[in-house]
Amino acid sequence: MEFSRRHFLTSASAGLAGAALYHNRYAAALDLLQTPQPAPAKVQAVTRTLEINGKPASVWGLLQPNGTQGLETIYNQPFRVVLENKLTEPTAIHWHGLYPPNNEDGVPGVTQPVIRPNESSFYNFPVIPAGTHWMHSHEGLQEAHLLSAPLIVHDSADQAADVQQVIAFLGDFSFTPPKEIYAQLRAPKKAMAMGGKMATKPDANDVNYDAYLANDRTLADPDVVRVEKSGRVRLRIINGSSGTNYFVDLGSLTGELIATDGLPVKPIRASRFPLAIAQRIDVMVQIPPGGGAFPVLALREGSREQTGVFLATAGAPVKRLPVKAVLPNGLLTLDQESQLSAVTPLTPKAADQTSVLRLQGNMAKYQWMINDIVFNVNDPGAEKSQVQVKMGQRVALKFVNETPMSHPMHLHGHAFEVIEINGRPLQGAMRDTILVPGNATVTVAFDANNPGLWFVHCHIIWHLEAGMAALVKYQA
Ligand code: C2O
Ligand code: CU
């Protein structure tokens, strides 16, 4: 295979400490591929220290031996990765967006055993599909310790086009340990216990975090990426938050949305894009000939907090932006979603079966359910929340949100097409995670082509932990 390094190495950080993290990975990925019998890439689950709000924050991470967070690989090559657990507790890592065989999908209790401290696990499967993906712990609340990282799969078009690639990995962080946050959410709520029902006005966010991050940094000390005047930039934006939906705002730039969850869509132009938890967007932007410093912001849904990265040409002064805007942002909607259509949609055919997944919550107990079941891997009752499918079927999943809160719903091991929003049929984007707004109905369809037992769940970690999950099970 022929690869030009030129295109992969045009990205350089404008040099705030630690900002080099995202910019030197291509060389390693290419070296790997140029060796005939490549040694597997190594990823270590580790603890690391960030500086957040002026204080040291002990977080976890998924590092290559050279200190790079995350992985970049090439489409259709073997995904040969050794994952080493350097933490003091068992973990399991899920490759969010890839279609691995079921037993390499990284869901403890469902598809794979945990990896114990100082043990490792070897993965070897074709890297499909190309696109902007990510990886994260699927064990308990570990993801809220920032045990997550970008996972980019390049295709041949990436080497052909003279386009600079920039990753923005969004997150949220609290100094309060995740277990305590969860205990607070589960603690009996006085007002609710008395009233006995859910608050009528839904709150967009269950958890107020201490910091909102882009490439592990806040706007007080943002990642500044050096770009060229008149350059073209492909932004690969990943919402790796445990509980925060964002609007991505390009400010004075206009972008062209070219992929959702890594999968190409017919381009649409906009300067603001909703990005729910676990979703990804690829956006092409053109840097103006005069250059400058351009913030790419992520605005927290239903609130005033913001985070982001800067694209800056040489010498352009970067003006600091506040971590809180003056006015609150609204709630994410599916208005833009309903404009999207996939470049490679499913072949048109009627679904062989439609399964309804009713999304439910009990706020007083902080329990979240699908079809009346509080999911628990070890509970035989979980059988009832299994969607039974057969190899080769076209399967529709109809999410009916019976709660006033939105839920970003993710299906493992497959991509789906969005085929209905609130009763209106469409041939929408291909994705692996769809936002189902409060009281909305959204139907997605997928081809059952990857046998096994697959998780489908809300990607708000607090909702997943509290039971909002189900399984898709292939019958023999
Ligand atoms: Cu990204 Cu089941 O998760
Ligand atoms: Cu949810």
Side-chain angles (χ1 to χ4, degrees):
M1 258 181 145
E2 281 287 309
F3 284 97
S4 151
R5 281 184 181 230
R6 188 168 56 92
H7 304 299
F8 291 105
L9 296 174
T10 47
S11 165
S13 165
L16 294 174
L21 221 59
Y22 287 85
H23 309 297
N24 288 318
R25 277 180 294 195
Y26 297 99
L30 292 173
D31 284 345
L32 191 72
L33 289 169
Q34 280 157 4
T35 327
Q37 274 295 338
K42 194 193 268 187
V43 177
Q44 294 177 321
V46 295
T47 55
R48 57 200 175 109
T49 306
L50 301 177
E51 195 192 287
I52 294 177
N53 301 347
K55 286 185 282 185
S58 172
V59 304
W60 301 359
L62 292 165
L63 300 187
Q64 292 177 44
N66 67 6
T68 304
Q69 262 273 97
L71 272 181
E72 303 200 17
T73 78
I74 311 279
Y75 174 69
N76 231 349
Q77 298 291 306
F79 185 78
R80 283 164 53 84
V81 174
V82 172
L83 180 69
E84 255 180 41
N85 182 3
K86 294 288 185 192
L87 302 169
T88 55
E89 55 181 86
T91 191
I93 302 300
H94 168 57
W95 320 108
H96 186 128
L98 300 188
Y99 316 145
N102 196 235
N103 62 357
E104 298 184 65
D105 190 49
V107 183
V110 179
T111 59
Q112 236 189 308
V114 288
I115 309 167
R116 299 190 182 287
N118 286 313
E119 289 184 359
S120 58
S121 182
F122 176 57
Y123 299 83
N124 191 7
F125 58 86
V127 199
I128 296 170
T132 303
H133 308 304
W134 63 304
M135 48 182 158
H136 62 82
S137 170
H138 223 303
E139 170 68 4
L141 300 172
Q142 291 179 351
E143 190 204 296
H145 286 280
L146 311 193
L147 192 51
S148 55
L151 173 52
I152 309 298
V153 180
H154 293 284
D155 67 14
S156 45
D158 289 357
Q159 30 153 345
D162 207 354
V163 171
Q164 181 179 349
Q165 314 249 340
V166 174
I167 299 169
F169 190 84
L170 307 177
D172 44 18
F173 172 79
S174 183
F175 285 98
T176 309
K179 285 200 171 117
E180 251 172 71
I181 295 176
Y182 187 64
Q184 284 168 18
L185 288 169
R186 294 294 292 246
K189 316 269 183 314
K190 244 208 225 136
M192 284 173 179
M194 286 189 304
K197 57 176 165 183
M198 280 166 84
T200 42
K201 184 180 159 289
D203 209 348
N205 300 292
D206 287 12
V207 174
N208 292 313
Y209 293 83
D210 292 325
Y212 298 89
L213 305 176
N215 294 349
D216 289 336
R217 309 163 78 101
T218 68
L219 275 181
D221 177 25
D223 190 9
V224 179
V225 180
R226 170 72 54 82
V227 296
E228 301 300 323
K229 290 177 180 170
S230 304
R232 271 166 70 73
V233 173
R234 180 185 189 139
L235 288 166
R236 296 177 177 269
I237 309 175
I238 302 162
N239 189 348
S241 297
S242 60
T244 305
N245 290 324
Y246 289 107
F247 292 96
V248 171
D249 193 302
L250 302 179
S252 65
L253 297 174
T254 299
E256 211 175 31
L257 176 67
I258 57 166
T260 53
D261 298 350
L263 304 166
V265 289
K266 299 197 179 124
I268 64 164
R269 293 181 73 74
S271 58
R272 194 180 261 222
F273 306 90
L275 188 63
I277 296 159
Q279 291 183 331
R280 293 84 70 203
I281 46 175
D282 286 43
V283 181
M284 296 293 304
V285 296
Q286 178 85 48
I287 305 301
F294 304 95
V296 174
L297 293 182
L299 315 174
R300 184 185 182 218
E301 174 186 44
S303 194
R304 291 165 47 207
E305 288 80 4
Q306 52 189 9
T307 185
V309 301
F310 281 83
L311 307 178
T313 55
V318 174
K319 192 169 141 277
R320 287 284 176 270
L321 290 173
V323 297
K324 258 189 189 185
V326 177
L327 295 174
N329 308 297
L331 301 184
L332 266 61
T333 70
L334 295 178
D335 293 353
Q336 196 174 77
E337 189 73 44
S338 60
Q339 314 290 310
L340 299 178
S341 55
V343 168
T344 314
L346 296 179
T347 54
K349 73 169 186 177
D352 296 305
Q353 62 157 295
T354 300
S355 296
V356 176
L357 297 178
R358 292 176 296 123
L359 313 179
Q360 303 153 320
N362 175 332
M363 274 313 260
K365 293 189 187 159
Y366 203 81
Q367 271 180 338
W368 296 96
M369 292 148 279
I370 295 181
N371 295 348
D372 303 312
I373 308 270
V374 177
F375 185 85
N376 172 349
V377 176
N378 304 312
D379 181 353
E383 290 269 328
K384 282 190 241 155
S385 55
Q386 280 181 10
V387 175
Q388 310 278 338
V389 305
K390 285 201 191 85
M391 189 69 180
Q393 279 183 331
R394 171 73 49 87
V395 179
L397 299 177
K398 185 181 177 106
F399 297 108
V400 179
N401 189 347
E402 298 181 353
T403 79
M405 195 181 178
S406 70
H407 304 281
M409 300 303 297
H410 169 49
L411 171 66
H412 284 223
H414 304 75
F416 52 66
E417 185 177 299
V418 182
I419 62 165
E420 180 252 335
I421 295 176
N422 288 327
R424 203 176 68 80
L426 76 158
Q427 271 193 295
M430 295 294 295
R431 296 185 158 284
D432 58 49
T433 307
I434 181 71
L435 185 75
V436 186
N439 300 306
T441 299
V442 177
T443 308
V444 301
F446 67 95
D447 282 328
N449 55 14
N450 194 3
L453 184 59
W454 299 99
F455 231 2
V456 47
H457 64 85
C458 176
H459 220 290
I460 298 172
I461 197 168
W462 320 109
H463 292 187
L464 170 58
E465 183 72 3
M468 192 173 260
L471 294 167
V472 168
K473 184 181 188 176
Y474 282 68
Q475 293 164 314

